[in-house]
Amino acid sequence: MTPKISIIIPVYNTETYLRECLDSVINQTLKDIEIIIVNDCSPDNSESIILEYLAKDPRIKYIKHEQNLGLGGARNTGITNAKGNWIAFVDSDDYIELNTYSTMLSLMDKHQVNLGVFSVINFDHLTKIETYDPYFDTNFSTPITFNNQNITYTCPTAWNKIFKLSDLISHNLRFPEHLKHEDEEFWFKYIVTIEPLIVGSNKKLYHYRQRVDSIMGQKHLSRKYFPQICLNIYLFLQQNNKESLYRQYFFSSILQYIYEQYQETDPMYKSIFQQEMQQLLHYMKISKKELEQYPNLNLFYVDNPISQEIIYNYICLSSNSSHDKWYCFGQLSRTQKIKKILIVLSKKIKIYPVLKKIFTIIRK
């Protein structure tokens, strides 16, 4: 008999939180579920906990990787082995409300959609204090179709959504392996491929644990994956003849990542990120004309406004066009213009190293 929904739980080094996660899933009010636990070579005591739950619940399917594939790879294993009509993901250090899937599938059946989204509550893993984050709000109580003419921002996380399994299988939609922020790549590819009919609920059904010891909690470690994720998405758009349709939406995503990078304080990560994002913008051939189409420069990320100065600097440094470089120069402040002129002239007369040293001394 085909289960109503398959729930994928990747496990890696989360023995401290695993019982709370599994209890919230096996005790769902919806009983017609398949639970697929994927052990991604976890080095801790997680396997003994998994085997304990496996022995007492026949709905659990346990898969153990022979080599570590990362969160994305573990989710892919779950997708390949899933048998349900629907599919959902739960990270093994989080937990869900007991009525999560009965609530959402009832709503989705009512509106005959192929994607459901629900809201999230953050909580500190030490103090248990819960915090509200509007980033996870859903605004789709009335179903809408996502396509190039109608895209409304929603967070790209996979674990606050329910997908139709056949959509993922028939279009071979998978997560990238060994990359953080794998959700962004998967979500973008899913949107442009399926163009789903979506309905949402603002009920906070997912409890997202905030851990400072996690990779995602260490922003400078997770942000370094943004350029590769963006390049993967852009190549996907080109290969599937979707670039012109979704270029504006994609460009807005890049602006968000550039904004994230500007919050970085580690100079090494900041420099590497900037170089890689400049290469991507150059590859995209962003021009003055195209910039003028995006006057706000923060199309879908209104909570994180990005200044024109930031994006102009990126475009100026990444563009091959002298016209665009002059355009960028014209947007700079008087101080920035003077600094840029001094740098250019000093390089031409080969005194830039001396000038740089003087600037360093002045700053001190």
Side-chain angles (χ1 to χ4, degrees):
M1 183 176 176
T2 302
K4 185 80 170 176
I5 185 170
S6 297
I7 304 159
I8 314 303
I9 308 175
V11 175
Y12 183 81
N13 212 24
T14 53
E15 64 172 311
T16 304
Y17 322 107
L18 187 54
R19 291 181 185 278
E20 185 174 31
C21 174
L22 294 179
D23 284 341
S24 74
V25 175
I26 67 173
N27 291 309
Q28 286 292 299
T29 54
L30 177 67
K31 303 303 179 184
D32 185 16
I33 63 177
E34 174 186 48
I35 305 165
I36 302 178
I37 304 175
V38 183
N39 183 348
D40 193 34
C41 302
S42 186
D44 61 1
N45 195 43
S46 290
E47 183 171 44
S48 64
I49 298 173
I50 295 169
L51 293 175
E52 174 191 330
Y53 279 78
L54 180 64
K56 64 183 182 183
D57 195 325
R59 299 173 301 174
I60 294 177
K61 180 187 294 185
Y62 177 41
I63 303 171
K64 185 176 181 179
H65 280 170
E66 293 184 0
Q67 61 179 5
N68 178 270
L69 298 178
L71 178 58
R75 287 175 176 170
N76 293 340
T77 296
I79 294 172
T80 301
N81 289 274
K83 304 298 182 185
N85 293 317
W86 302 94
I87 189 167
F89 304 92
V90 180
D91 285 357
S92 56
D93 55 348
D94 301 330
Y95 68 95
I96 56 178
E97 289 292 315
L98 299 185
N99 64 339
T100 296
Y101 299 121
S102 59
T103 297
M104 285 306 302
L105 289 177
S106 175
L107 179 65
M108 294 166 69
D109 287 343
K110 175 183 176 182
H111 294 286
Q112 292 295 295
V113 300
N114 56 342
L115 177 67
V117 182
F118 45 93
S119 195
V120 176
I121 191 75
N122 296 337
F123 71 100
D124 186 276
H125 81 294
L126 294 176
T127 66
K128 305 298 183 182
I129 294 175
E130 296 183 343
T131 55
Y132 165 71
D133 189 345
Y135 176 73
F136 295 110
D137 279 352
T138 61
N139 302 302
F140 317 114
S141 56
T142 300
I144 65 170
T145 298
F146 270 33
N147 55 39
N148 64 303
Q149 300 297 319
N150 185 32
I151 295 183
T152 303
Y153 174 72
T154 185
C155 68
T157 49
W159 33 254
N160 72 326
K161 298 176 178 66
I162 298 176
F163 302 89
K164 196 170 186 177
L165 178 59
S166 59
D167 285 343
L168 308 190
I169 298 297
S170 61
H171 295 280
N172 195 31
L173 291 167
R174 298 294 188 272
F175 293 85
E177 296 180 0
H178 296 299
L179 289 177
K180 303 302 175 186
H181 294 280
E182 62 286 309
D183 288 359
E184 277 92 338
E185 181 174 332
F186 175 83
W187 176 239
F188 205 106
K189 291 179 177 180
Y190 171 81
I191 288 176
V192 304
T193 302
I194 304 301
E195 296 189 336
L197 180 63
I198 177 175
V199 69
S201 169
N202 264 327
K203 292 182 178 179
K204 296 171 178 58
L205 302 175
Y206 193 98
H207 296 259
Y208 177 45
R209 190 182 305 271
Q210 304 285 289
R211 293 167 50 201
V212 294
D213 61 332
S214 68
I215 290 292
M216 294 306 292
Q218 301 174 50
K219 295 296 186 182
H220 69 282
L221 294 179
S222 65
R223 286 172 182 157
K224 69 178 183 179
Y225 296 93
F226 282 157
Q228 184 61 54
I229 291 291
C230 288
L231 179 60
N232 291 349
I233 294 171
Y234 189 64
L235 293 175
F236 176 84
L237 292 175
Q238 286 187 320
Q239 292 163 4
N240 291 274
N241 298 317
K242 299 276 189 176
E243 181 189 353
S244 60
L245 294 176
Y246 288 94
R247 185 177 173 94
Q248 181 176 347
Y249 180 48
F250 176 61
F251 186 55
S252 73
S253 300
I254 292 179
L255 297 183
Q256 168 69 3
Y257 299 150
I258 292 175
Y259 175 89
E260 291 280 348
Q261 179 268 324
Y262 264 76
Q263 312 311 302
E264 180 57 66
T265 56
D266 188 305
M268 180 183 73
Y269 287 105
K270 190 166 187 173
S271 175
I272 294 172
F273 183 99
Q274 183 170 349
Q275 291 172 17
E276 292 180 346
M277 291 303 287
Q278 286 167 359
Q279 290 173 7
L280 176 62
L281 289 170
H282 172 64
Y283 185 69
M284 289 181 65
K285 299 180 180 177
I286 301 292
S287 65
K288 170 189 174 182
K289 183 177 180 181
E290 186 164 13
L291 275 176
E292 289 173 340
Q293 296 175 22
Y294 314 135
N296 296 323
L297 298 178
N298 60 331
L299 300 173
F300 302 99
Y301 298 90
V302 293
D303 293 329
N304 291 336
I306 181 170
S307 72
Q308 290 194 358
E309 177 185 322
I310 290 175
I311 188 62
Y312 286 142
N313 285 343
Y314 263 89
I315 300 300
C316 187
L317 291 169
S318 65
S319 174
N320 268 345
S321 166
S322 59
H323 176 78
D324 281 335
K325 288 181 179 179
W326 280 113
Y327 172 69
C328 295
F329 179 79
Q331 311 305 315
L332 301 179
S333 66
R334 180 181 298 176
T335 302
Q336 290 172 321
K337 287 177 180 177
I338 293 172
K339 182 179 177 181
K340 190 167 286 295
I341 290 170
L342 286 174
I343 289 172
V344 171
L345 289 176
S346 66
K347 285 182 177 179
K348 284 188 177 297
I349 60 178
K350 299 181 180 180
I351 62 168
Y352 178 68
V354 176
L355 186 63
K356 186 176 180 181
K357 190 171 183 179
I358 294 173
F359 279 149
T360 303
I361 294 172
I362 291 173
R363 285 196 203 101
K364 292 180 180 179

